[in-house]
Amino acid sequence: MTPADRINELRRLIRHHDERYYVLNDPEVADVEFDALMKELERLEADHPGLVTDDSPTRRVGGRVAAGFATVEHAEPMLSLDNTYSEEELRAFDDRVRRGLGLDAAGPDAVAYVAELKIDGVSIALTYDRGVLVRGATRGDGSRGEDVTPNIRTIRAIPLRLHEGTPAGRVEVRGEVYLPRRAFERTNSEREAAGEMLFANPRNAAAGTLRNLDPALVAARGLRAWFYQVVPGRLPTHAGTLDDLRGLGLPVEPHWRRCVGVGAVLAFCREWDQQRRSLDFDTDGVVIKVDELANRRLLGATSKFPRWAVAFKFPAEQKTTLLRAIEVNVGRTGAVTPFAVLEPVFIAGSTVSMATLHNADDIARKDIREGDWVLVEKAGDVIPRVVGPVRDRRPPGAQPWVMPSACPRCGAALQRAEGEVVWRCENTSCPAKLQRGLEHFASRAAMNIEGLGESLIAQLIAGRLVTDYADVYALGTGTLATLTSTSLRADGKAIERRFGEKNAAKVVAQIDRSRSNDLWRLIFGLGIRHVGERAAQVLADAFGSMDALGTASVEQLEATPEIGPVLAASMRSWCDEPRNRALLDRLRAAGVRMEVPPEQRAARRVAGPLAGRTYVLTGTLASMTRDEAAAAIERLGGKVAGSVSRKTTAVVAGVDAGAKAEKAGALGVPLLDEAAFLALIASGQ
Ligand SMILES: [Zn+2]
């Protein structure tokens, strides 16, 4: 057998086993055997690079995504569904469908529906060209989404190639990317151990993951997918379409059922409201669709929703329990938020002993008091919430709760900005803020300093060894080694434990390594309000250095794709604060990398969406200066030239454009007016 034959055979086998595992849920081989096939293929491809193709199973993870994701226009809009919350509302939906189809509302004719479990994930549209995956896009606002192909490719449940004998030409399939519950719990426990913010629910985790700029991270999270639509529809029924999708080799959630009449639909909903905990993914309801595509066409759509489908939401799970105390927590930004300490109670699959109380106003409005019996709800989120008190079980003498007027950690008077509901500790050296801030700074998602966790940080702050992030870089092995922690032995005797040379050396090495981190890790680690992991990546890619970012105007920040006015203003005001500028100077002096290395920048410029295109600017633009326009083009990888030639991609012509615009006309070079130019920058195309 030639290497080429063996490579083809291995790819076929791997695709087959992926399908057994992800689509049919019926694996034929153990993981080790599968891994052996994969290893053999990797080895053969390494020896014969000429035989590597894009749809090979070894090619799922590519390099980092440069310059953000491009915008994608959906040929057919991806509508969302109207929600129903009760059986009456579902019956009313059925009545509307029957009327729309000209059936007697009270008559015996029943409509055939397909009921599917509603997956709490992210809607996506995939395009296959002659059976090969060429594009994966998010739903976005329904008419425009993001091209997240590199990340979609990493999801092993999604075939890079459809079954042989699939339709010629292009096929678009739609479905939902989700994170199975176990993968979600694993992700959150890893984040918790690293002191990172937890994802509120699997949907947020899936959405955040799918838009991350690092496909290797996406691959590690373990996303899955289910599919439910082919666009345009090519079979007369929805039930047929679901079978068709599976036939193409795509995963379809297997519990769907064809239900004739609304009674059968209601039975399906009741059944799954009881059974949904047995699934390995979160479902928050049932999607009900008219089965016949011809009937769907008759029913049509409103501007927002199709008239032939509806979502039924399961009621949130609630329990009553005793509210033992209301305590407050001081966050990284100084926000002081109340939370409920509860008598432990089992809700929706886990024991709950704490719940959020949102804010002081909310507690007052609902009149929640310590000692009350309260209704607690878990509505798809990890953190349960207190719905309200059970008034007639209130113990005599229970007093209304009062928000503390001082920070529980440093004693500074709490303040509240005009129009805000959140009380804050504005003391810049509040140890609680420094503690949370440092935990975030050192966390794996940010500066990734392993070993610098909650308890070590607490000791460093208590010993006044650190008063800001830059102090971390002055820590030596000697200082850390002598730190001691006290713990109680089982017999009640206190024992002191030294941190020790070995641990100290490890942490110092980690701190040292973090000096040469990618710039976005620093930007994220600084904990600037509204600047998340992804925004930090976008800003680092766009500006290239802390200096450029620190001096960027709000307008320049806002001109960056995905950066909105709130984030831009927050970034600007953080940089204007002298204390923060001093912190940056101290970090720089400590040797922390403050820019994207030039070769990385150049590589990204080449890979930008305007790579290989040249623009000439002429005339005056109303929304930006010529320098800003040039910077925007360069950020997207394009070039700006001073004169027009046949090689010019287009001339951007503002008001009073002169000779250059005329020359463009003579050479047949396209002219872009300001609106077209802004659209070009916004779409990154
Ligand atoms: Zn404080």
Side-chain angles (χ1 to χ4, degrees), residues 60-75:
R60 284 196 178 268
V61 179
R64 254 175 67 83
V65 180
F69 300 112
T71 306
V72 164
E73 194 106 18
H74 296 298

Side-chain angles (χ1 to χ4, degrees), residues 378-647:
K378 232 174 148 185
D381 287 2
V382 173
I383 305 167
R385 65 188 200 95
V386 173
V387 180
V390 184
R391 293 290 172 89
D392 32 342
R393 291 181 76 180
R394 171 163 293 164
Q399 295 299 312
W401 186 72
V402 184
M403 179 79 184
S405 56
C407 172
R409 190 71 189 272
C410 71
L414 298 184
Q415 287 166 38
R416 168 147 92 163
E418 186 81 17
E420 273 203 32
V421 290
V422 177
W423 289 89
R424 285 174 201 282
C425 168
E426 302 284 4
N427 173 10
T428 46
S429 46
C430 172
K433 283 161 72 175
L434 182 58
Q435 170 86 33
R436 298 279 163 250
L438 259 177
E439 285 171 14
H440 171 75
F441 183 79
S443 69
R444 187 159 42 176
M447 292 300 269
N448 193 19
I449 304 173
E450 215 185 307
L452 186 56
E454 192 175 339
S455 68
L456 179 56
I457 291 171
Q459 289 181 65
L460 292 171
I461 294 174
R464 301 201 148 268
L465 291 165
V466 295
T467 55
D468 71 9
Y469 308 162
D471 285 338
V472 166
Y473 291 92
L475 292 171
T477 318
T479 316
L480 287 175
T482 56
L483 288 175
T484 52
S485 59
T486 312
S487 55
L488 284 181
R489 256 188 1 205
D491 60 8
K493 202 171 162 226
I495 45 165
E496 287 214 326
R497 193 179 278 122
R498 280 181 84 242
F499 195 64
E501 299 283 339
K502 223 169 133 192
N503 282 333
K506 269 192 210 157
V507 172
V508 169
Q510 284 286 324
I511 292 171
D512 187 43
R513 195 195 43 76
S514 78
R515 286 187 166 95
S516 45
N517 274 342
D518 283 347
L519 176 63
W520 67 263
R521 291 186 170 276
L522 174 66
I523 299 172
F524 178 51
L526 292 171
I528 302 161
R529 271 178 90 186
H530 307 295
V531 180
E533 196 173 326
R534 177 165 164 84
Q537 292 174 343
V538 169
L539 289 169
D541 276 346
F543 291 90
S545 74
M546 205 63 225
D547 279 344
L549 184 57
T551 52
S553 67
V554 169
E555 292 72 27
Q556 284 169 322
L557 288 163
E558 268 190 67
T560 313
E562 298 183 40
I563 303 300
V566 175
L567 197 157
S570 168
M571 187 76 217
R572 189 63 252 144
S573 76
W574 191 92
C575 294
D576 283 340
E577 171 72 40
R579 222 180 96 88
N580 294 332
R581 280 211 300 274
L583 171 66
L584 287 176
D585 288 343
R586 282 169 32 74
L587 284 167
R588 187 193 312 273
V592 175
R593 180 182 279 171
M594 293 280 163
E595 61 281 311
V596 179
E599 65 279 7
Q600 241 183 62
R601 278 213 95 185
R604 270 180 215 162
R605 255 204 300 280
V606 170
L610 298 185
R613 303 191 199 177
T614 306
Y615 295 85
V616 172
L617 301 167
T618 178
T620 313
L621 297 174
S623 57
M624 60 180 92
T625 66
R626 200 166 304 170
D627 282 349
E628 286 164 355
I633 290 170
E634 283 169 0
R635 263 205 302 282
L636 295 171
K639 269 198 228 147
V640 178
S643 60
V644 184
S645 74
R646 285 187 194 282
K647 287 186 184 156

Side-chain angles (χ1 to χ4, degrees), residues 88-157:
E88 295 83 77
E89 284 179 310
L90 257 187
R91 287 185 194 280
F93 163 74
D94 179 57
D95 285 344
R96 287 196 302 277
V97 167
R98 292 156 67 83
R99 274 200 304 276
L101 296 177
L103 300 172
D104 180 357
D109 294 335
V111 177
Y113 297 100
V114 170
E116 296 160 68
L117 293 175
K118 186 171 177 298
I119 299 128
D120 216 6
V122 184
S123 300
I124 51 156
L126 307 185
T127 309
Y128 285 88
D129 191 4
R130 279 159 290 176
V132 177
L133 176 68
V134 291
R135 193 178 84 181
T138 60
R139 175 180 177 277
D141 65 5
S143 48
R144 313 176 99 208
E146 279 181 310
D147 184 338
V148 290
T149 312
N151 289 342
I152 289 288
R153 289 176 60 92
T154 69
I155 302 171
R156 280 182 50 201

Side-chain angles (χ1 to χ4, degrees), residues 49-94:
L51 297 176
V52 177
T53 58
D54 232 22
D55 63 349
S56 171
T58 59
R59 312 294 287 173
R60 284 196 178 268
V61 179
R64 254 175 67 83
V65 180
F69 300 112
T71 306
V72 164
E73 194 106 18
H74 296 298
E76 218 175 278
M78 295 177 78
L79 297 176
S80 56
L81 297 183
D82 199 2
N83 285 323
T84 57
Y85 298 90
S86 66
E87 299 204 345
E88 295 83 77
E89 284 179 310
L90 257 187
R91 287 185 194 280
F93 163 74
D94 179 57

